[in-house]
Amino acid sequence: MALSKYVVGNWKMHGTSSDLPEIASIASAAAGSTGVDVALCLPATLIDRAATSMAGFAFGGQDVHQDEKGAHTGCTSAAMLLDAGASLAIVGHSERRSDQCETDEQVRAKAEAGLKAGLGVILCIGESLDVREAGQAVATVQSQLDASLPHGDGAAAGVPGKFAIAYEPIWAIGTGKVASPADIGEMHKALRERLVAAYGDAGNEVRILYGGSVNASNAAEIFAVDDVDGALVGGASLTAEKFVPIVEAAAAR
Ligand code: PEP
């Protein structure tokens, strides 16, 4: 049975209080879309104000530290995100893997910490262009998934709807280049197999999102691909004008 679609905006390092009205437009349009779950992962500085003024809409962080507290200057714990009103967090985004040199092991610890604390978690994985051109994309992303999947207390098994994967080819993020439906389908099928191998039947409940230059023009085609359970959207999530049509394309599936 198809999983309900999940469309998540990643605002990256964009957004100040002047953007709250735009966020409110997105939240109110999303409330009118049935059959699709929608969330915005905002800069940590905005979550509290957004969650306070838009109760009922799902806001998330763009990262979560693996430790509960401690000497980690500039980092945000799961408890802090929850306290601010977040209900989810992205972990392992390729920009953090490259800018902050995050390893699969750290990403796995972050996913486990987030889930254990009660946050939903979206775990990002994806290959570079070199890897894709060398014909190694599926094998590389599968092993990235294996190495960063949460286990133990915070594992996805038994937490339906709390854990999602985002397959984001690095070369497609913010570039306007999109993986072909055939390549997306091949990758998502391969990831589904790994999720079932890791979690048994519960692996079929983990939503697999596609991310990489999703926009209003290509969303319907991407959502039609088997095992595409939604999208992680960067640039096109910054305005209601661009984001709402993507949500509507998901709701139409
Ligand atoms: C992202 O930030 O995860 C992303 C997919 O960005 P964009 O949609 O801009 O490619």
Side-chain angles (χ1 to χ4, degrees):
M1 198 182 76
L3 302 173
S4 60
K5 296 275 189 275
Y6 192 21
V7 179
V8 182
N10 173 16
W11 272 39
K12 311 193 186 194
M13 201 169 71
H14 299 283
T16 61
S17 50
S18 64
D19 295 294
L20 287 166
E22 196 68 41
I23 295 168
S25 298
I26 290 171
S28 94
S33 297
T34 47
V36 53
D37 297 320
V38 184
L40 285 181
C41 292
L42 298 176
T45 48
L46 269 185
I47 294 171
D48 181 39
R49 275 170 291 168
T52 301
S53 56
M54 289 156 245
F57 185 78
F59 292 104
Q62 299 168 13
D63 178 50
V64 59
H65 198 275
Q66 59 270 37
D67 291 349
E68 285 178 17
K69 58 173 76 166
H72 302 294
T73 303
C75 298
T76 310
S77 71
M80 291 169 183
L81 287 176
L82 287 161
D83 184 50
S87 56
L88 70 144
I90 295 170
V91 300
H93 193 282
S94 65
E95 287 155 14
R96 290 200 62 87
R97 289 179 187 262
S98 64
D99 294 0
Q100 275 75 33
C101 304
E102 290 187 0
T103 63
D104 286 338
E105 194 180 28
Q106 285 170 316
V107 170
R108 172 178 166 170
K110 286 167 183 249
E112 289 175 351
L115 288 166
K116 191 173 173 192
L119 287 170
V121 165
I122 299 172
L123 166 65
C124 301
I125 45 180
E127 83 284 357
S128 66
L129 189 55
D130 285 354
V131 166
R132 164 75 45 196
E133 287 177 346
Q136 293 300 314
V138 170
T140 300
V141 177
Q142 274 187 324
S143 46
Q144 203 183 17
L145 180 71
D146 291 345
S148 41
L149 265 186
H151 289 281
D153 274 357
V159 195
K162 274 286 189 189
F163 181 58
I165 301 293
Y167 164 57
E168 301 205 298
I170 298 166
W171 49 270
I173 297 177
T175 59
K177 294 180 187 152
V178 187
S180 70
D183 287 346
I184 296 172
E186 179 190 35
M187 184 66 78
H188 281 224
K189 182 170 181 285
L191 296 176
R192 177 69 66 206
E193 284 166 12
R194 303 306 304 159
L195 288 167
V196 171
Y199 299 135
D201 280 349
N204 285 315
E205 304 294 319
V206 176
R207 290 186 283 200
I208 308 177
L209 317 184
Y210 169 79
S213 298
V214 176
N215 60 37
S217 310
N218 59 31
E221 186 180 32
I222 292 169
F223 292 143
V225 176
D226 279 353
D227 270 319
V228 172
D229 305 310
L232 183 56
V233 184
S237 71
L238 293 173
T239 62
E241 185 188 5
K242 291 185 175 164
F243 190 54
V244 173
I246 299 173
V247 173
E248 287 168 347
R253 291 301 309 174

